Amino acid sequence: MTILPFPSFLDDVKEKGFKKAVFEGIDDSVERLTAGLNVQDLREAFRGEAASRRPNPRLTPHADGFWLHMRPSYFNRDVTGMYPTFRLGWLSSYFVFFETITGILLMLWYTPSPEIAYGDMLTILSNVPLGQLMRDMHRLGAEFMVAVVAMHMMRTWITGSYKKPRQFTWFTGLLLLVITGFLSFSGYLLPWDQLSLWAVTIGASMAEATPVVGEQVNLLLRGAPELGANGLLRFYLLHVLALPALLFVFFGVHYYKVVIHGHSLPPQKENIGEDTAKRVPLDKRVYFIPDMLTYEMMWLGATTFIITVLCIWFYHAPLENHADPQVTPLGTTAPWYFLWIQGALKLGDKFFWGVAFPTIALGGLALLPYLDVTPSRRYAHRRFMLTLACLLISVSTILSYMGLAKFAVQTSAETEIVHELTFEPAHSKVGIGRTIPFDQMIVGAYTTAQLHYPDEMSVSDAIAAINAEVAANGQYEQMITELKDQHVGANQLPLRFRAIPAAEAPTLMRVMEEFAHHLEAEPKELPNVWGALVITDNQAGLKRLDWVVSWDSVLIEAGHVQLDDNGDPILIYSDQVDAEGNPIPARRIYSDHLFIHEASAYFD
């Protein structure tokens, strides 16, 4: 007799024998863990056998368990394949938890401060075990999540699954789509690099177009007139606290409504005006345990495997230079899922296309099930709604294309060329102008005009001829004046061009050849063009590189270079004349600069 107030394991062994006591103990523990399934039930489920106990114990975990109470205990066979659900709802749910887990891991090494955030990103990529893989999976998972939720809603539209009694289910799904978009957008800023800063700046500026409260909303988002410490902290709190809280609330409501009303059957499987999703005949029941559970585990494993393979071999989340509010990069766009708004903004008024149009579009989607009250879900009876769905896809695609940086945004050729040579690290690439080894940055002024002189002419003779020409027509003095305006000390500027030291600086020669190649590709917009690279010592271990483009000014109307009858660009002339009395074309100068430190990593 035990001294404990309850029977002990030793009492069971004494009464039943060791083998039976152990088996019953394991059976009881398994049944507690699975909320109703014992070892025999699990063995039968894994073998695909019918349940031997009655009532069916495989229904018990859905009623008594915590994790399965929001999952249907059985499904109609007609909704268990790829069609009509395509398992997009399950994938959406999977990505919610996938992003939560990977996000929490990243939070361990992240501090939402402009002074620290970028350094933390570099630490995650270089010093945290599997840090880069985790960041890549989190970023790629966010992109997939937005796409999957959007496709899930479109599938619901196409199959008419928003009709009565699922109107509110559709509405909660739309809210989840909006929250998902803003959740991904709020995380865009956290790396605090140039890409994230300016993409979020573009998105946040749309709020400014809202009448009356626009400035206040924009200030509330940014936390200051410009994005800084307050703005980064607010986006961080939105990303890890406010938006996830909303997401999980409406995620639970959405799942609850799905269980209440059941998964809608394929349109052709139901009589017009009927909804028989909850009435599943015995011969069409597919129980969640084990069939649907193993099916969904297969989807989970396959999706995780695909993301892992993509992140190891094919995809890496971009990280550009440290965010600089003073430097606006070319071609900055909003995230791809907001490109349709950026494209709409190019059509006209900022308030209408940036605020009113998206609000009207989302409002129309929210009211869709209350406007489409026809009882039939058959495709043949819903031609108008299917046409509207195709129209929505087409318009979204066209507007997204219009939102790209290249569409209806004209950047002058000289700006594009210098940007191409000097752009900051992006997607594992870097402008070739940043790759010159520090010891090859020999102080002096170099010009692409040297590369166009005949081969039989010596380099020294070519440089002498160039210096004489630019001195005579004042082009060198014009360049010097332009550089002085860029705050380069006059005593640092070379007095004339010098030959490119190809033997001592082969990379410098290659960069100048690339510079000349880009200039030659724009004969109409940049006639009689030459480029220059002026290298000066800024301070110990730091050099300044000034990139200069000089060309004859041309007539441009409506963004296009005007041509004469011979197809040549029409030049704009100055008030000066040459020795023969002919007018001299007006000369234009464009320059930009960058600083290269001796410890820069671009040289490799």
Side-chain angles (χ1 to χ4, degrees):
M1 186 70 181
T2 180
I3 62 173
L4 298 174
F6 50 83
S8 68
F9 174 72
L10 294 178
D11 293 333
D12 288 342
V13 171
K14 183 177 180 181
E15 180 180 347
K16 305 173 183 177
F18 178 78
K19 183 176 180 180
K20 187 175 181 181
V22 169
F23 178 79
E24 288 186 355
I26 294 174
D27 206 46
D28 181 66
S29 299
V30 169
E31 191 165 353
R32 290 174 182 273
L33 289 173
T34 60
L37 298 177
N38 59 30
V39 174
Q40 177 66 23
D41 298 328
L42 291 178
R43 183 185 296 115
E44 293 169 348
F46 290 147
R47 290 177 175 177
E49 300 172 354
S52 58
R53 290 199 295 160
R54 292 290 182 271
N56 192 336
R58 299 173 190 177
L59 303 179
T60 307
H62 296 272
D64 297 345
F66 176 78
W67 295 109
L68 294 184
H69 76 283
M70 290 180 64
R71 300 292 285 143
S73 55
Y74 52 81
F75 292 72
N76 192 308
R77 191 178 306 278
D78 292 328
V79 300
T80 57
M82 288 292 291
Y83 177 83
T85 63
F86 298 102
R87 318 313 301 168
L88 294 173
W90 165 244
L91 285 180
S92 301
S93 307
Y94 162 75
F95 278 117
V96 171
F97 293 96
F98 180 87
E99 288 298 285
T100 301
I101 294 171
T102 55
I104 289 174
L105 293 175
L106 292 174
M107 286 171 62
L108 298 176
W109 286 275
Y110 180 81
T111 303
S113 166
E115 291 77 21
I116 305 175
Y118 189 78
D120 285 348
M121 299 307 300
L122 297 179
T123 300
I124 290 173
L125 296 180
S126 58
N127 294 332
V128 176
L130 299 180
Q132 180 172 355
L133 176 63
M134 197 56 54
R135 177 175 183 254
D136 293 343
M137 295 179 74
H138 186 72
R139 178 65 174 270
L140 188 61
E143 309 282 352
F144 277 1
M145 182 176 173
V146 175
V148 168
V149 174
M151 290 190 293
H152 180 46
M153 285 206 65
M154 184 52 61
R155 191 280 307 167
T156 304
W157 183 338
I158 291 174
T159 58
S161 300
Y162 55 79
K163 290 180 177 288
K164 187 178 180 179
R166 298 181 179 83
Q167 300 98 318
F168 188 70
T169 309
W170 165 269
F171 179 73
T172 57
L174 179 64
L175 287 178
L176 289 173
L177 175 62
V178 174
I179 294 172
T180 300
F182 280 107
L183 189 61
S184 182
F185 178 69
S186 62
Y188 225 70
L189 182 65
L190 303 189
W192 200 247
D193 64 345
Q194 280 288 73
L195 173 67
S196 63
L197 173 67
W198 289 101
V200 171
T201 298
I202 291 174
S205 64
M206 295 179 186
E208 199 170 9
T210 307
V212 183
V213 297
E215 289 188 17
Q216 287 73 20
V217 172
N218 193 23
L219 188 62
L220 186 65
L221 279 174
R222 300 185 183 208
E226 299 294 336
L227 276 172
N230 283 339
L232 179 58
L233 180 59
R234 293 180 188 202
F235 272 78
Y236 178 75
L237 293 176
L238 279 173
H239 188 68
V240 305
L241 186 61
L243 291 173
L246 288 174
L247 182 73
F248 278 104
V249 167
F250 286 102
F251 176 79
V253 174
H254 187 74
Y255 246 95
Y256 171 76
K257 299 299 288 186
V258 170
V259 174
I260 289 295
H261 299 303
H263 291 79
S264 61
L265 301 181
Q268 69 274 16
K269 296 290 185 177
E270 290 182 328
N271 294 327
I272 295 176
E274 291 186 7
D275 185 85
T276 58
K278 290 292 290 182
R279 300 191 296 272
V280 183
L282 288 174
D283 60 335
K284 283 203 168 187
R285 290 185 180 181
V286 176
Y287 289 95
F288 181 84
I289 302 174
D291 300 288
M292 295 306 300
L293 178 61
T294 54
Y295 189 42
E296 292 182 349
M297 291 300 104
M298 181 273 292
W299 270 102
L300 186 151
T303 304
T304 306
F305 175 76
I306 291 172
I307 293 178
T308 304
V309 169
L310 289 176
C311 291
I312 291 177
W313 282 290
F314 302 103
Y315 174 83
H316 294 297
L319 185 67
E320 297 189 3
N321 259 19
H322 192 288
D324 186 353
Q326 305 301 319
V327 179
T328 305
L330 289 179
T332 303
T333 61
W336 64 266
Y337 40 86
F338 286 148
L339 276 178
W340 62 281
I341 301 180
Q342 191 164 342
L345 282 169
K346 296 179 181 179
L347 295 175
D349 181 68
K350 186 177 181 180
F351 165 69
F352 179 80
W353 293 107
V355 179
F357 172 67
T359 302
I360 294 171
L362 292 174
L365 288 175
L367 294 175
L368 182 65
Y370 303 99
L371 298 176
D372 181 19
V373 293
T374 56
S376 177
R377 292 175 54 227
R378 302 288 175 87
Y379 298 125
H381 301 159
R382 302 179 59 246
R383 291 187 176 93
F384 175 77
M385 297 307 298
L386 295 178
T387 303
L388 199 59
C390 293
L391 184 64
L392 174 64
I393 296 174
S394 301
V395 170
S396 300
T397 303
I398 293 171
L399 288 178
S400 297
Y401 171 74
M402 292 171 58
L404 296 175
K406 296 293 184 181
F407 185 86
V409 176
Q410 294 184 335
T411 305
S412 57
E414 70 279 2
T415 305
E416 288 276 7
I417 290 170
V418 173
H419 174 74
E420 180 71 18
L421 293 171
T422 63
F423 68 84
E424 298 171 347
H427 305 280
S428 302
K429 295 181 180 179
V430 62
I432 189 174
R434 292 178 177 269
T435 63
I436 306 172
F438 195 80
D439 59 353
Q440 294 187 30
M441 296 180 190
I442 301 172
V443 173
Y446 310 98
T447 176
T448 60
Q450 171 189 332
L451 306 174
H452 301 304
Y453 271 76
D455 293 337
E456 59 271 13
M457 194 174 188
S458 68
V459 174
S460 59
D461 290 342
I463 289 297
I466 292 171
N467 282 323
E469 181 181 353
V470 295
N473 57 29
Q475 292 180 11
Y476 196 89
E477 182 62 32
Q478 186 181 4
M479 182 185 79
I480 294 297
T481 302
E482 173 71 21
L483 296 185
K484 285 181 179 178
D485 293 339
Q486 297 293 327
H487 310 294
V488 175
N491 59 334
Q492 293 180 306
L493 294 172
L495 298 178
R496 61 183 63 85
F497 289 123
R498 59 170 293 184
I500 305 171
E504 303 171 65
T507 306
L508 175 60
M509 172 59 83
R510 188 170 70 251
V511 169
M512 293 302 293
E513 290 173 345
E514 185 73 14
F515 194 3
H517 172 72
H518 285 296
L519 295 175
E520 292 168 6
E522 301 290 344
K524 293 182 178 179
E525 192 171 344
L526 303 175
N528 303 319
V529 65
W530 53 261
L533 173 59
V534 181
I535 302 176
T536 53
D537 278 320
N538 189 265
Q539 61 185 41
L542 185 68
K543 293 185 184 291
R544 172 171 173 146
L545 279 63
D546 283 274
W547 304 83
V548 182
V549 180
S550 175
W551 72 101
D552 288 342
S553 184
V554 296
L555 180 63
I556 298 178
E557 294 181 359
H560 299 284
V561 176
Q562 301 302 299
L563 307 177
D564 58 20
D565 295 337
N566 297 324
D568 297 323
I570 299 175
L571 302 181
I572 298 176
Y573 293 90
S574 66
D575 298 333
Q576 300 176 347
V577 294
D578 59 18
E580 299 177 357
N582 298 318
I584 299 176
R587 199 72 180 172
R588 294 193 61 189
I589 292 281
Y590 171 80
S591 68
D592 198 2
H593 67 275
L594 58 87
F595 294 96
I596 298 292
H597 192 270
E598 187 175 10
S600 173
Y602 305 142
F603 310 140
D604 296 329

